[in-house]
Amino acid sequence: MASIRFNNIDKRFGKTQVIHNVSFEIEDGEFVVLVGPSGCGKSTLLRMLAGLEEINGGEIAIDGKVINDLDSKDRDIAMVFQSYALYPHMTVRENMAFSLKLRKADAALTNQRVGDAARILNMEPLLERYPRELSGGQRQRVAMGRAIVRDPKVFLFDEPLSNLDAKLRVAMRAEIKTLHQRLKTTTVYVTHDQIEAMTMADRIVVMRDGHIEQIGTPLQLFDRPVNQFVAQFIGSPSMNLIEGRLTRSKGGNFVDALGTRWPVGVVGSVEDGQRVVYGIRPTDMRIGEGKTGIQGQVVVVEPTGSETEIVMDIGGQNLVAVHPGRTGAMPNLTVGISVDASSGHVFDHATGVRLN
Amino acid sequence: MRRSQYVDGARWVLVLVSLLLVMFPFYWMLNTSLKPASEIFLSPPTFISSNWSLDAYVTVLTERPFARYFLNSLVVTLGTTVLSVTLAAFAAYGFTRFFPRGATPFVVFLLFTKMLPETLLIIPYFQLMASVGLLNSYLALILAYSSFALPFSVWMLIGFFRSIPRDIDEAAKIDGASYLQTFFLVILPLARPGLVAVTLFTFLIAWNSYLWALVLTTDASMHVLSVGVANMVGEYSVQWNELMAAAVIAAVPVMLLFSFLEKHLVNAITSGAVKG
């Protein structure tokens, strides 16, 4: 278990700067997810922590000790790769024991550690098999077992579930989370999938173009995204964003957009009539009959069984609402939408920064 | 149904005819080596003889220094194979892991040297070996053969090493392996088909080479099998059964090697890739 500190981290590939002055801390035992679109620098940051990439500026410290000049093997970390990176010519047992063999650990300790890891991951029947004889999920477990055997201070995961099918991904997500709850090892997990981030993380670091956009718990990011990018990246389906103008009146604050008024709560230093972007999550839009509320015409209805996604045309723009359970809505039907002022998000039109 | 039976039958005939054409010279070589001299030019020729014996082999091994030639060939070939495969493996590892952009230009440069006809290099090589006092030595032949085997070996191994994912190196690094440990414990085992192919190729070049042994070794005790066999073609007469016996002795090690390593060679040719 260990705390990690990133201090003013810079990274360049040739003349291109890919990480810009990134700083944040991870507490002992925390499960932190680095999430962002492809090319945002999350994997590069992880690889710098692992010792697979050079750090061009700043320092990384584990438990207060700066590790910039330490070899990977001296950082007491273990990594699970997206491609599993198992040694094809070694059995599962040999894969898991490799690091201990390199350290010349005695056979008893090696057998004990490998056996313990195999038990934790339900892999005991697979120990004498070769990676080519295993399924994707089994290989991923072997990769995790290889990391567990090392008993490191920090686990690093680099998009470990990307190569798995959707159903297996859900199952493995739960396994990884359960493992973390059991072992309580500090974990840094990289993914481009915001659902993985939301379901697994103690805290999420949202990155874009080598910068940190926001750090917070999943619900903090969901409820109060600091800018448009985070607002649209976190949450599925994405937040609806509408361009409009802020109107201050005695009855409250509104955003005039799409020919209608969207209520918002207290908004900071924004002038009456200023151009803003209004955001509303699909789950915060209540759908009723077409007689009252904001009028919308149903375009597409997508029932998923437990809820229904409805795409509506409101004032010429398609917005998505999520209705719990089943609904009688059909295409071309006019529905009435109501939203709470407290559910509305207001962003600056020019910068995308949150205003409320 | 009937049509495919005819097609199958035609295929079998084609295969058998091809096999016959390829195998016949070897069969005839063996047949001739076992016959007495008086039967060699009989007409019609005997395909199976009741006079088959190992007399020619005994003569070759006792009256001529073929055992010595065999030993020389073995030392030179094994030396060349070990040196070439080792250097090629290190070169391929170095270029694919630490200097990937340099791999292609280096290989092109190496393969360029293969465009030079070997006869062009006789005098320079002779002078080079003579100037360092290596004439009539195993080392001269080992170095010369290695210089011819290395370009192809490096080229082939670079292809194989490139197909081994870099993730595996990184996993080994995180597990605590040094670069050399990664090379010996992880990369080499995965490149086995390529190493086998390169070993066989190098072995063949060294075992069969005649010109360089002729040029760089003048002392009869340093002759290799290829020179020894060629020397049996006399100015006025040839003992064909003894010559064929010598040729069989020269061919057997290569056949044995191929039979042991054949499946790896097929693997190398057909797959040439490793999935991590």
Side-chain angles (χ1 to χ4, degrees):
Chain A
M1 293 191 286
S3 61
I4 305 172
R5 183 168 40 89
F6 293 85
N7 226 3
N8 303 114
I9 301 296
D10 283 315
K11 176 68 183 170
R12 283 180 296 281
F13 287 116
K15 289 184 184 163
T16 310
Q17 182 127 3
V18 296
I19 306 255
H20 305 262
N21 200 26
V22 160
S23 298
F24 66 99
E25 289 190 29
I26 299 174
E27 286 170 34
D28 186 8
E30 217 181 355
F31 193 118
V32 167
V33 175
L34 307 182
V35 72
S38 295
C40 70
K42 55 192 187 297
S43 283
T44 306
L45 205 58
L46 190 83
R47 287 169 62 83
M48 285 197 282
L49 177 58
L52 300 173
E53 294 283 355
E54 217 182 290
I55 302 167
N56 295 132
E59 288 175 343
I60 300 178
I62 297 180
D63 265 349
K65 182 180 174 190
V66 173
I67 56 158
N68 285 32
D69 297 323
L70 285 184
D71 272 344
S72 302
K73 65 179 188 322
D74 299 322
R75 299 186 181 196
D76 207 359
I77 50 113
M79 188 155 169
V80 178
F81 292 81
Q82 179 178 353
S83 64
Y84 324 129
L86 300 181
Y87 308 120
H89 59 297
M90 297 184 195
T91 60
V92 167
R93 181 188 295 278
E94 287 164 346
N95 262 277
M96 288 167 66
F98 188 63
S99 59
L100 294 176
K101 176 183 160 185
L102 288 170
R103 271 188 251 165
K104 298 187 178 27
D106 68 66
L109 174 70
T110 305
N111 284 334
Q112 183 217 317
R113 288 253 188 109
V114 169
D116 288 346
R119 251 184 312 276
I120 291 171
L121 294 165
N122 291 321
M123 271 190 342
E124 283 157 301
L126 305 178
L127 284 173
E128 305 312 322
R129 289 208 206 163
Y130 285 91
R132 62 179 173 271
E133 297 165 342
L134 304 176
S135 67
Q138 289 170 333
R139 288 183 200 182
Q140 196 50 276
R141 273 202 227 114
V142 174
M144 283 168 24
R146 190 170 62 177
I148 292 171
V149 157
R150 302 208 34 220
D151 194 22
K153 281 186 183 168
V154 183
F155 280 136
L156 306 179
F157 288 86
D158 189 2
E159 306 209 40
L161 308 183
S162 298
N163 291 352
L164 304 178
D165 62 68
K167 204 169 177 181
L168 196 49
R169 221 178 288 164
V170 172
M172 289 302 296
R173 249 173 26 207
E175 270 201 47
I176 293 173
K177 192 62 188 167
T178 309
L179 195 68
H180 175 254
Q181 283 164 0
R182 183 172 175 165
L183 300 177
K184 299 197 191 328
T185 306
T186 309
T187 301
V188 185
Y189 186 105
V190 161
T191 181
H192 62 272
D193 185 333
Q194 56 92 29
I195 296 177
E196 274 178 35
M198 292 290 287
T199 54
M200 299 172 79
D202 292 331
R203 277 194 305 151
I204 300 174
V205 177
V206 180
M207 293 185 68
R208 177 170 61 153
D209 294 336
H211 294 97
I212 291 180
E213 296 287 329
Q214 188 173 357
I215 303 178
T217 65
L219 291 181
Q220 282 172 349
L221 264 57
F222 188 85
D223 291 338
R224 292 190 65 76
V226 294
N227 58 34
Q228 261 178 248
F229 173 79
V230 177
Q232 279 217 294
F233 193 83
I234 299 288
S236 181
S238 294
M239 181 185 286
N240 296 299
L241 292 175
I242 309 161
E243 289 186 7
R245 290 189 186 274
L246 186 78
T247 305
R248 292 186 187 280
S249 70
K250 281 183 188 166
N253 298 325
F254 298 91
V255 171
D256 283 312
L258 302 177
T260 192
R261 283 189 145 188
W262 304 84
V264 295
V266 175
V267 182
S269 49
V270 182
E271 287 175 17
D272 187 27
Q274 183 173 322
R275 287 181 75 186
V276 294
V277 174
Y278 173 78
I280 183 79
R281 293 221 180 263
T283 43
D284 292 331
M285 298 172 78
R286 286 187 301 280
I287 301 173
E289 287 182 32
K291 294 168 190 149
T292 55
I294 299 165
Q295 301 291 286
Q297 187 171 38
V298 175
V299 177
V300 174
V301 178
E302 294 172 351
T304 62
S306 53
E307 58 190 20
T308 309
E309 281 183 31
I310 302 172
V311 180
M312 301 161 294
D313 183 329
I314 299 177
Q317 184 173 329
N318 281 354
L319 302 183
V320 179
V322 172
H323 181 83
R326 315 285 168 88
T327 170
M330 284 170 29
N332 296 318
L333 187 71
T334 300
V335 292
I337 311 293
S338 60
V339 296
D340 290 338
S342 57
S343 305
H345 304 259
V346 182
F347 303 102
D348 183 271
H349 182 266
T351 62
V353 169
R354 182 184 196 81
L355 296 172
N356 66 331
Chain B
M1 272 300 197
R2 262 176 135 193
R3 205 169 168 183
S4 73
Q5 276 179 342
Y6 284 131
V7 168
D8 274 346
R11 279 202 191 114
W12 270 110
V13 166
L14 190 64
V15 165
L16 285 169
V17 166
S18 307
L19 199 64
L20 208 66
L21 286 171
V22 168
M23 293 300 294
F24 187 79
F26 291 97
Y27 157 73
W28 198 250
M29 181 173 78
L30 189 65
N31 184 25
T32 307
S33 72
L34 295 169
K35 285 183 193 175
S38 53
E39 244 186 79
I40 291 170
F41 290 107
L42 268 185
S43 181
T46 52
F47 291 90
I48 296 174
S49 171
S50 57
N51 297 320
W52 274 354
S53 74
L54 295 174
D55 290 346
Y57 289 91
V58 171
T59 309
V60 158
L61 290 169
T62 56
E63 293 180 20
R64 293 171 193 270
F66 257 84
R68 173 75 196 191
Y69 296 161
F70 192 93
L71 177 71
N72 292 341
S73 281
L74 205 61
V75 169
V76 167
T77 302
L78 287 178
T80 304
T81 307
V82 166
L83 180 67
S84 295
V85 173
T86 306
L87 287 179
F90 276 118
Y93 182 60
F95 272 108
T96 56
R97 261 61 188 162
F98 305 106
F99 190 34
R101 273 186 288 179
T104 304
F106 181 67
V107 164
V108 167
F109 161 73
L110 279 182
L111 291 175
F112 232 38
T113 65
K114 297 296 286 177
M115 289 170 67
L116 294 166
E118 283 189 23
T119 44
L120 198 68
L121 299 169
I122 289 175
I123 293 172
Y125 266 58
F126 183 86
Q127 282 188 322
L128 192 64
M129 298 298 178
S131 67
V132 292
L134 282 179
L135 283 180
N136 280 312
S137 71
Y138 288 137
L139 194 57
L141 290 177
I142 289 171
L143 291 175
Y145 293 160
S146 296
S147 74
F148 297 118
L150 267 173
F152 180 79
S153 304
V154 171
W155 172 67
M156 191 162 196
L157 283 183
I158 281 181
F160 269 91
F161 279 38
R162 259 195 196 133
S163 72
I164 301 172
R166 294 295 304 272
D167 275 359
I168 294 187
D169 294 59
E170 290 178 349
K173 186 176 181 188
I174 292 197
D175 274 345
S178 64
Y179 288 125
L180 274 181
Q181 283 173 318
T182 304
F183 176 69
F184 283 111
L185 299 176
V186 179
I187 304 296
L188 275 191
L190 292 176
R192 195 183 305 151
L195 291 170
V196 165
V198 161
T199 300
L200 285 173
F201 168 76
T202 309
F203 191 95
L204 272 181
I205 285 186
W207 189 262
N208 289 338
S209 183
Y210 168 70
L211 179 67
W212 293 104
L214 195 65
V215 167
L216 298 175
T217 57
T218 50
D219 191 333
S221 66
M222 288 304 293
H223 281 165
V224 295
L225 272 174
S226 51
V227 175
V229 169
N231 285 348
M232 290 180 72
V233 178
E235 197 174 339
Y236 300 107
S237 67
V238 181
Q239 290 295 325
W240 288 103
N241 54 345
E242 290 171 19
L243 182 60
M244 290 300 116
V248 168
I249 292 169
V252 159
V254 177
M255 287 181 182
L256 281 175
L257 191 68
F258 261 84
S259 66
F260 280 126
L261 299 178
E262 177 250 340
K263 69 170 184 197
H264 291 290
L265 188 64
V266 170
N267 216 0
I269 294 166
T270 55
S271 68
V274 172
K275 288 199 165 57

